[in-house]
Each structure stands twice: as structure tokens, then as C-alpha cells.
Amino acid sequence: MKKIRVISIAFLLMTCMVTTSCVSTRDTVRINQIELGMNKSDVQHLLGTPLFKNANENGEKWGYRKYVGQIADSEEMYFIVKFDSNEKVIAYQSVKAPVRNRQM
């Protein structure tokens, strides 16, 4: 009985690790499909709702969270998409997320 429980837990952990790594790969594939000149609805269709939006008279920036690297050693990044006043993509880039202070 104990052996079955250990095997079940091990299987559950492996499944979680595999599905987590797939999310990162899927996000990378979608991010790589962003192109200059795309409109906002195309970007939202590929990447979903942004984590944050900033707008001014020159256009708008959308930010998405992504993780780069192995699951255990992944680095948090932001993928920023910039739109002009006509709502077309004029630039995009990945930047490191700010380091957060962790209190234990």
C-alpha cells in the first residue's frame, strides 16, 4: 500500500514538471509570432490579457510575464509590446523583472 502511494506521488510530481515546462515552451512559441505592424487584437489573441498596460499620447505598452530557463532555475522576465497611436506594434523586447525582496 505504501509503495503504491510513493509511486502515485512520484507520478504526480513528474506530471507537474512536464506540464510546467510545456507552458514555457508554448509561451515562447507565441512570443516568437509577434511581428511589427500587428494590431492589438492580434497580440491579445496570441498572448492573452497583458499583466499590465501603460498608455500616453504616443501610444501604449503592454507587459507579459514569462520565465526563461530550467524549471528549478527559471528567471522571471517581462515581454513588453509597444504600440503606436494607430494601435500597431512598433517594438517589442524582453527585460528582466525587478528582483523582489523575499522575507522568510
PDB file of all heavy atoms in Angstrom, residues 35-60:
ATOM      1  N   GLU A  35       4.937  40.264 -34.509  1.00  0.00           N
ATOM      2  CA  GLU A  35       5.622  40.948 -35.603  1.00  0.00           C
ATOM      3  C   GLU A  35       5.289  42.429 -35.591  1.00  0.00           C
ATOM      4  O   GLU A  35       4.210  42.827 -35.127  1.00  0.00           O
ATOM      5  CB  GLU A  35       5.184  40.365 -36.953  1.00  0.00           C
ATOM      6  CG  GLU A  35       5.544  38.911 -37.157  1.00  0.00           C
ATOM      7  CD  GLU A  35       5.042  38.365 -38.484  1.00  0.00           C
ATOM      8  OE1 GLU A  35       4.429  39.125 -39.260  1.00  0.00           O
ATOM      9  OE2 GLU A  35       5.265  37.179 -38.740  1.00  0.00           O
ATOM     10  N   LEU A  36       6.196  43.228 -36.109  1.00  0.00           N
ATOM     11  CA  LEU A  36       5.928  44.651 -36.274  1.00  0.00           C
ATOM     12  C   LEU A  36       4.713  44.827 -37.176  1.00  0.00           C
ATOM     13  O   LEU A  36       4.529  44.087 -38.134  1.00  0.00           O
ATOM     14  CB  LEU A  36       7.141  45.361 -36.879  1.00  0.00           C
ATOM     15  CG  LEU A  36       8.421  45.331 -36.052  1.00  0.00           C
ATOM     16  CD1 LEU A  36       9.553  46.003 -36.814  1.00  0.00           C
ATOM     17  CD2 LEU A  36       8.223  45.995 -34.702  1.00  0.00           C
ATOM     18  N   GLY A  37       3.872  45.787 -36.847  1.00  0.00           N
ATOM     19  CA  GLY A  37       2.691  46.069 -37.651  1.00  0.00           C
ATOM     20  C   GLY A  37       1.437  45.331 -37.224  1.00  0.00           C
ATOM     21  O   GLY A  37       0.347  45.638 -37.700  1.00  0.00           O
ATOM     22  N   MET A  38       1.561  44.338 -36.342  1.00  0.00           N
ATOM     23  CA  MET A  38       0.372  43.635 -35.840  1.00  0.00           C
ATOM     24  C   MET A  38      -0.504  44.618 -35.068  1.00  0.00           C
ATOM     25  O   MET A  38      -0.013  45.579 -34.488  1.00  0.00           O
ATOM     26  CB  MET A  38       0.756  42.507 -34.884  1.00  0.00           C
ATOM     27  CG  MET A  38       1.209  41.253 -35.514  1.00  0.00           C
ATOM     28  SD  MET A  38       1.465  40.006 -34.216  1.00  0.00           S
ATOM     29  CE  MET A  38       1.266  38.550 -35.185  1.00  0.00           C
ATOM     30  N   ASN A  39      -1.803  44.350 -35.042  1.00  0.00           N
ATOM     31  CA  ASN A  39      -2.676  45.192 -34.237  1.00  0.00           C
ATOM     32  C   ASN A  39      -2.888  44.580 -32.853  1.00  0.00           C
ATOM     33  O   ASN A  39      -2.491  43.447 -32.592  1.00  0.00           O
ATOM     34  CB  ASN A  39      -4.009  45.466 -34.956  1.00  0.00           C
ATOM     35  CG  ASN A  39      -4.783  44.208 -35.235  1.00  0.00           C
ATOM     36  OD1 ASN A  39      -4.839  43.298 -34.415  1.00  0.00           O
ATOM     37  ND2 ASN A  39      -5.399  44.146 -36.408  1.00  0.00           N
ATOM     38  N   LYS A  40      -3.514  45.347 -31.973  1.00  0.00           N
ATOM     39  CA  LYS A  40      -3.690  44.915 -30.583  1.00  0.00           C
ATOM     40  C   LYS A  40      -4.469  43.609 -30.466  1.00  0.00           C
ATOM     41  O   LYS A  40      -4.138  42.761 -29.648  1.00  0.00           O
ATOM     42  CB  LYS A  40      -4.411  45.997 -29.777  1.00  0.00           C
ATOM     43  CG  LYS A  40      -3.559  47.187 -29.475  1.00  0.00           C
ATOM     44  CD  LYS A  40      -4.353  48.184 -28.640  1.00  0.00           C
ATOM     45  CE  LYS A  40      -3.522  49.373 -28.270  1.00  0.00           C
ATOM     46  NZ  LYS A  40      -4.293  50.325 -27.443  1.00  0.00           N
ATOM     47  N   SER A  41      -5.482  43.445 -31.279  1.00  0.00           N
ATOM     48  CA  SER A  41      -6.290  42.225 -31.173  1.00  0.00           C
ATOM     49  C   SER A  41      -5.483  40.988 -31.571  1.00  0.00           C
ATOM     50  O   SER A  41      -5.654  39.917 -30.987  1.00  0.00           O
ATOM     51  CB  SER A  41      -7.570  42.330 -32.002  1.00  0.00           C
ATOM     52  OG  SER A  41      -7.282  42.478 -33.373  1.00  0.00           O
ATOM     53  N   ASP A  42      -4.564  41.127 -32.547  1.00  0.00           N
ATOM     54  CA  ASP A  42      -3.693  40.002 -32.920  1.00  0.00           C
ATOM     55  C   ASP A  42      -2.783  39.614 -31.753  1.00  0.00           C
ATOM     56  O   ASP A  42      -2.604  38.429 -31.456  1.00  0.00           O
ATOM     57  CB  ASP A  42      -2.820  40.366 -34.130  1.00  0.00           C
ATOM     58  CG  ASP A  42      -3.615  40.533 -35.407  1.00  0.00           C
ATOM     59  OD1 ASP A  42      -4.720  39.945 -35.507  1.00  0.00           O
ATOM     60  OD2 ASP A  42      -3.150  41.271 -36.300  1.00  0.00           O
ATOM     61  N   VAL A  43      -2.217  40.621 -31.091  1.00  0.00           N
ATOM     62  CA  VAL A  43      -1.326  40.368 -29.958  1.00  0.00           C
ATOM     63  C   VAL A  43      -2.108  39.717 -28.819  1.00  0.00           C
ATOM     64  O   VAL A  43      -1.665  38.723 -28.236  1.00  0.00           O
ATOM     65  CB  VAL A  43      -0.642  41.670 -29.491  1.00  0.00           C
ATOM     66  CG1 VAL A  43       0.144  41.445 -28.204  1.00  0.00           C
ATOM     67  CG2 VAL A  43       0.271  42.208 -30.592  1.00  0.00           C
ATOM     68  N   GLN A  44      -3.281  40.261 -28.526  1.00  0.00           N
ATOM     69  CA  GLN A  44      -4.070  39.694 -27.434  1.00  0.00           C
ATOM     70  C   GLN A  44      -4.524  38.272 -27.760  1.00  0.00           C
ATOM     71  O   GLN A  44      -4.580  37.417 -26.884  1.00  0.00           O
ATOM     72  CB  GLN A  44      -5.270  40.574 -27.102  1.00  0.00           C
ATOM     73  CG  GLN A  44      -5.955  40.139 -25.833  1.00  0.00           C
ATOM     74  CD  GLN A  44      -6.798  41.223 -25.219  1.00  0.00           C
ATOM     75  OE1 GLN A  44      -7.080  42.231 -25.839  1.00  0.00           O
ATOM     76  NE2 GLN A  44      -7.203  41.015 -23.986  1.00  0.00           N
ATOM     77  N   HIS A  45      -4.802  37.999 -29.009  1.00  0.00           N
ATOM     78  CA  HIS A  45      -5.183  36.640 -29.413  1.00  0.00           C
ATOM     79  C   HIS A  45      -4.032  35.665 -29.158  1.00  0.00           C
ATOM     80  O   HIS A  45      -4.250  34.545 -28.699  1.00  0.00           O
ATOM     81  CB  HIS A  45      -5.584  36.624 -30.888  1.00  0.00           C
ATOM     82  CG  HIS A  45      -5.927  35.265 -31.407  1.00  0.00           C
ATOM     83  ND1 HIS A  45      -7.101  34.632 -31.095  1.00  0.00           N
ATOM     84  CD2 HIS A  45      -5.230  34.404 -32.201  1.00  0.00           C
ATOM     85  CE1 HIS A  45      -7.118  33.434 -31.663  1.00  0.00           C
ATOM     86  NE2 HIS A  45      -5.993  33.278 -32.345  1.00  0.00           N
ATOM     87  N   LEU A  46      -2.800  36.079 -29.453  1.00  0.00           N
ATOM     88  CA  LEU A  46      -1.636  35.209 -29.254  1.00  0.00           C
ATOM     89  C   LEU A  46      -1.224  35.084 -27.791  1.00  0.00           C
ATOM     90  O   LEU A  46      -0.933  33.994 -27.312  1.00  0.00           O
ATOM     91  CB  LEU A  46      -0.436  35.738 -30.046  1.00  0.00           C
ATOM     92  CG  LEU A  46      -0.405  35.449 -31.531  1.00  0.00           C
ATOM     93  CD1 LEU A  46       0.735  36.211 -32.200  1.00  0.00           C
ATOM     94  CD2 LEU A  46      -0.244  33.956 -31.783  1.00  0.00           C
ATOM     95  N   LEU A  47      -1.185  36.207 -27.068  1.00  0.00           N
ATOM     96  CA  LEU A  47      -0.586  36.224 -25.740  1.00  0.00           C
ATOM     97  C   LEU A  47      -1.588  36.347 -24.589  1.00  0.00           C
ATOM     98  O   LEU A  47      -1.205  36.183 -23.434  1.00  0.00           O
ATOM     99  CB  LEU A  47       0.424  37.376 -25.640  1.00  0.00           C
ATOM    100  CG  LEU A  47       1.562  37.356 -26.656  1.00  0.00           C
ATOM    101  CD1 LEU A  47       2.477  38.546 -26.440  1.00  0.00           C
ATOM    102  CD2 LEU A  47       2.340  36.053 -26.583  1.00  0.00           C
ATOM    103  N   GLY A  48      -2.835  36.651 -24.908  1.00  0.00           N
ATOM    104  CA  GLY A  48      -3.833  36.787 -23.850  1.00  0.00           C
ATOM    105  C   GLY A  48      -3.848  38.187 -23.263  1.00  0.00           C
ATOM    106  O   GLY A  48      -3.269  39.125 -23.808  1.00  0.00           O
ATOM    107  N   THR A  49      -4.484  38.318 -22.121  1.00  0.00           N
ATOM    108  CA  THR A  49      -4.600  39.599 -21.446  1.00  0.00           C
ATOM    109  C   THR A  49      -3.256  39.972 -20.826  1.00  0.00           C
ATOM    110  O   THR A  49      -2.652  39.161 -20.134  1.00  0.00           O
ATOM    111  CB  THR A  49      -5.670  39.527 -20.338  1.00  0.00           C
ATOM    112  OG1 THR A  49      -6.908  39.128 -20.937  1.00  0.00           O
ATOM    113  CG2 THR A  49      -5.836  40.860 -19.646  1.00  0.00           C
ATOM    114  N   PRO A  50      -2.783  41.195 -21.061  1.00  0.00           N
ATOM    115  CA  PRO A  50      -1.484  41.576 -20.509  1.00  0.00           C
ATOM    116  C   PRO A  50      -1.526  41.708 -18.988  1.00  0.00           C
ATOM    117  O   PRO A  50      -2.568  41.983 -18.401  1.00  0.00           O
ATOM    118  CB  PRO A  50      -1.193  42.930 -21.167  1.00  0.00           C
ATOM    119  CG  PRO A  50      -2.460  43.410 -21.727  1.00  0.00           C
ATOM    120  CD  PRO A  50      -3.369  42.239 -21.892  1.00  0.00           C
ATOM    121  N   LEU A  51      -0.366  41.530 -18.380  1.00  0.00           N
ATOM    122  CA  LEU A  51      -0.203  41.703 -16.944  1.00  0.00           C
ATOM    123  C   LEU A  51      -0.384  43.173 -16.576  1.00  0.00           C
ATOM    124  O   LEU A  51      -0.960  43.505 -15.553  1.00  0.00           O
ATOM    125  CB  LEU A  51       1.189  41.217 -16.523  1.00  0.00           C
ATOM    126  CG  LEU A  51       1.576  41.333 -15.067  1.00  0.00           C
ATOM    127  CD1 LEU A  51       0.675  40.433 -14.217  1.00  0.00           C
ATOM    128  CD2 LEU A  51       3.029  40.939 -14.868  1.00  0.00           C
ATOM    129  N   PHE A  52       0.122  44.061 -17.436  1.00  0.00           N
ATOM    130  CA  PHE A  52      -0.054  45.499 -17.206  1.00  0.00           C
ATOM    131  C   PHE A  52      -0.107  46.233 -18.543  1.00  0.00           C
ATOM    132  O   PHE A  52       0.349  45.733 -19.565  1.00  0.00           O
ATOM    133  CB  PHE A  52       1.057  46.065 -16.317  1.00  0.00           C
ATOM    134  CG  PHE A  52       2.443  45.948 -16.894  1.00  0.00           C
ATOM    135  CD1 PHE A  52       2.938  46.891 -17.771  1.00  0.00           C
ATOM    136  CD2 PHE A  52       3.259  44.891 -16.529  1.00  0.00           C
ATOM    137  CE1 PHE A  52       4.227  46.783 -18.282  1.00  0.00           C
ATOM    138  CE2 PHE A  52       4.548  44.769 -17.030  1.00  0.00           C
ATOM    139  CZ  PHE A  52       5.026  45.723 -17.915  1.00  0.00           C
ATOM    140  N   LYS A  53      -0.712  47.445 -18.494  1.00  0.00           N
ATOM    141  CA  LYS A  53      -0.793  48.336 -19.649  1.00  0.00           C
ATOM    142  C   LYS A  53      -0.413  49.739 -19.193  1.00  0.00           C
ATOM    143  O   LYS A  53      -0.823  50.169 -18.119  1.00  0.00           O
ATOM    144  CB  LYS A  53      -2.221  48.397 -20.211  1.00  0.00           C
ATOM    145  CG  LYS A  53      -2.741  47.109 -20.795  1.00  0.00           C
ATOM    146  CD  LYS A  53      -4.161  47.311 -21.314  1.00  0.00           C
ATOM    147  CE  LYS A  53      -4.745  46.039 -21.871  1.00  0.00           C
ATOM    148  NZ  LYS A  53      -6.102  46.261 -22.430  1.00  0.00           N
ATOM    149  N   ASN A  54       0.371  50.430 -20.014  1.00  0.00           N
ATOM    150  CA  ASN A  54       0.719  51.833 -19.785  1.00  0.00           C
ATOM    151  C   ASN A  54       0.443  52.581 -21.077  1.00  0.00           C
ATOM    152  O   ASN A  54       0.855  52.128 -22.143  1.00  0.00           O
ATOM    153  CB  ASN A  54       2.196  51.997 -19.410  1.00  0.00           C
ATOM    154  CG  ASN A  54       2.530  51.329 -18.098  1.00  0.00           C
ATOM    155  OD1 ASN A  54       1.718  51.316 -17.188  1.00  0.00           O
ATOM    156  ND2 ASN A  54       3.723  50.776 -18.005  1.00  0.00           N
ATOM    157  N   ALA A  55      -0.239  53.725 -20.972  1.00  0.00           N
ATOM    158  CA  ALA A  55      -0.574  54.483 -22.173  1.00  0.00           C
ATOM    159  C   ALA A  55      -0.215  55.954 -21.989  1.00  0.00           C
ATOM    160  O   ALA A  55      -0.239  56.479 -20.877  1.00  0.00           O
ATOM    161  CB  ALA A  55      -2.051  54.343 -22.495  1.00  0.00           C
ATOM    162  N   ASN A  56       0.127  56.599 -23.109  1.00  0.00           N
ATOM    163  CA  ASN A  56       0.296  58.053 -23.153  1.00  0.00           C
ATOM    164  C   ASN A  56      -0.102  58.523 -24.538  1.00  0.00           C
ATOM    165  O   ASN A  56      -0.613  57.733 -25.342  1.00  0.00           O
ATOM    166  CB  ASN A  56       1.729  58.461 -22.774  1.00  0.00           C
ATOM    167  CG  ASN A  56       2.777  57.915 -23.724  1.00  0.00           C
ATOM    168  OD1 ASN A  56       2.517  57.700 -24.910  1.00  0.00           O
ATOM    169  ND2 ASN A  56       3.977  57.680 -23.219  1.00  0.00           N
ATOM    170  N   GLU A  57       0.172  59.797 -24.853  1.00  0.00           N
ATOM    171  CA  GLU A  57      -0.268  60.341 -26.137  1.00  0.00           C
ATOM    172  C   GLU A  57       0.449  59.716 -27.327  1.00  0.00           C
ATOM    173  O   GLU A  57      -0.028  59.791 -28.461  1.00  0.00           O
ATOM    174  CB  GLU A  57      -0.095  61.873 -26.167  1.00  0.00           C
ATOM    175  CG  GLU A  57       1.337  62.350 -26.076  1.00  0.00           C
ATOM    176  CD  GLU A  57       1.868  62.425 -24.641  1.00  0.00           C
ATOM    177  OE1 GLU A  57       1.107  62.230 -23.678  1.00  0.00           O
ATOM    178  OE2 GLU A  57       3.067  62.658 -24.492  1.00  0.00           O
ATOM    179  N   ASN A  58       1.588  59.077 -27.106  1.00  0.00           N
ATOM    180  CA  ASN A  58       2.352  58.462 -28.198  1.00  0.00           C
ATOM    181  C   ASN A  58       1.956  57.022 -28.498  1.00  0.00           C
ATOM    182  O   ASN A  58       2.347  56.468 -29.506  1.00  0.00           O
ATOM    183  CB  ASN A  58       3.842  58.501 -27.883  1.00  0.00           C
ATOM    184  CG  ASN A  58       4.341  59.928 -27.770  1.00  0.00           C
ATOM    185  OD1 ASN A  58       3.913  60.808 -28.505  1.00  0.00           O
ATOM    186  ND2 ASN A  58       5.224  60.155 -26.819  1.00  0.00           N
ATOM    187  N   GLY A  59       1.226  56.403 -27.595  1.00  0.00           N
ATOM    188  CA  GLY A  59       0.846  55.008 -27.803  1.00  0.00           C
ATOM    189  C   GLY A  59       0.670  54.279 -26.492  1.00  0.00           C
ATOM    190  O   GLY A  59       0.352  54.875 -25.466  1.00  0.00           O
ATOM    191  N   GLU A  60       0.918  52.977 -26.525  1.00  0.00           N
ATOM    192  CA  GLU A  60       0.654  52.141 -25.358  1.00  0.00           C
ATOM    193  C   GLU A  60       1.695  51.023 -25.265  1.00  0.00           C
ATOM    194  O   GLU A  60       2.236  50.585 -26.277  1.00  0.00           O
ATOM    195  CB  GLU A  60      -0.752  51.539 -25.504  1.00  0.00           C
ATOM    196  CG  GLU A  60      -1.289  50.887 -24.290  1.00  0.00           C
ATOM    197  CD  GLU A  60      -2.779  50.540 -24.429  1.00  0.00           C
ATOM    198  OE1 GLU A  60      -3.392  50.811 -25.482  1.00  0.00           O
ATOM    199  OE2 GLU A  60      -3.315  49.986 -23.468  1.00  0.00           O
TER     200      GLU A  60
END
